[in-house]
């Protein structure tokens, strides 16, 4: 049942966005950039579940191994999201990256992106840091990523349909809180 629920949670936002009438006025690069963002958000939901061994049939070791690969894919999707938006509207991306965009969702997206990059760098430095320090820093950055992502997504009026968007945000928030409140490993 958990796998079925996870499959629905990950696919429903993509299916709903693919049916958005707003796509009719967008070019393929912009559409791909938007879907890269939706895929990244779905991958973000998997991360705390994988890292803490909470998926049935997946051992803690397997989960952490997949967590690393999903994290790399997550960073790639965010980069694709930003590059696609850059290609379609460089001034908007520059304004967002310089924190001078008039849209508040841009600020949260950029904060989440930089925290994600920081988390990725931290993951590469894991063996150089004490485990307790590394875990606290990684979980802290991950929490900033999740919070920033949720605030980014909720404020956007775009192709993501509201019900699936809110549900995915709630699940992402719940999974992150679960890791903080009831750590397993």
């Amino acid at each position: 049942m958990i796998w079925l629920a996870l499959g629905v949670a990950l696919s429903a936002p993509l299916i709903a966005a693919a049916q958005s009438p707003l796509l009719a006025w967008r070019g393929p690069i912009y559409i791909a950039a938007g879907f890269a963002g939706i895929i990244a958000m779905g991958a973000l939901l998997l991360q705390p579940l994988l890292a803490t061994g909470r998926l049935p049939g997946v051992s803690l070791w397997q989960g952490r191994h997949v967590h690393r690969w999903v994290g790399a894919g997550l960073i790639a999707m965010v980069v694709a999201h930003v590059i696609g938006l850059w290609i379609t509207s460089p001034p908007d991306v520059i304004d967002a990256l310089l924190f001078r965009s008039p849209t508040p969702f841009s600020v949260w997206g950029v904060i989440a992106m930089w925290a994600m990059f920081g988390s990725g760098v931290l993951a590469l430095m894991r063996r150089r840091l004490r485990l307790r320090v590394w875990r606290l820093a990684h979980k802290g950055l991950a929490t900033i990523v999740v919070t920033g992502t949720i605030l980014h997504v909720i404020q956007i009026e775009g192709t993501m349909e509201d019900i699936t968007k809110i549900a995915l945000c709630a699940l992402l928030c719940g999974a992150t809180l679960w890791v903080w409140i009831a750590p397993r490993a």
Side-chain angles (χ1 to χ4, degrees), residues 1 12 15 32 37 50 55-56 79 91 104 111 117 122 132-133 150 154 161 179 184:
M1 287 302 285
I15 293 167
L50 289 166
L55 292 173
V79 168
I111 289 169
F117 292 160
L122 199 60
R132 177 175 254 190
V133 170
I150 289 171
I154 289 294
E161 181 269 333
V179 169
R184 280 177 74 175

Side-chain angles (χ1 to χ4, degrees), residues 36-126:
I38 298 168
I39 291 167
M41 191 170 177
L44 196 56
L45 174 60
L46 293 173
Q47 288 298 78
L49 303 173
L50 289 166
T52 56
R54 288 192 164 97
L55 292 173
V58 179
S59 72
L60 181 60
W61 181 87
Q62 291 169 324
R64 287 187 177 167
H65 182 73
V66 174
H67 174 82
R68 289 181 196 105
W69 284 102
V70 170
L74 181 55
I75 290 171
M77 285 295 106
V78 169
V79 168
H81 180 65
V82 173
I83 288 174
L85 296 176
W86 170 274
I87 290 169
T88 59
S89 183
D92 289 340
V93 174
I94 291 169
D95 285 348
L97 292 173
L98 296 175
F99 294 104
R100 62 181 191 206
S101 176
T103 56
F105 66 79
S106 297
V107 171
W108 293 112
V110 171
I111 289 169
M113 177 190 72
W114 286 114
M116 182 177 299
F117 292 160
S119 185
V121 168
L122 199 60
L124 294 173
M125 297 174 45
R126 181 168 188 235

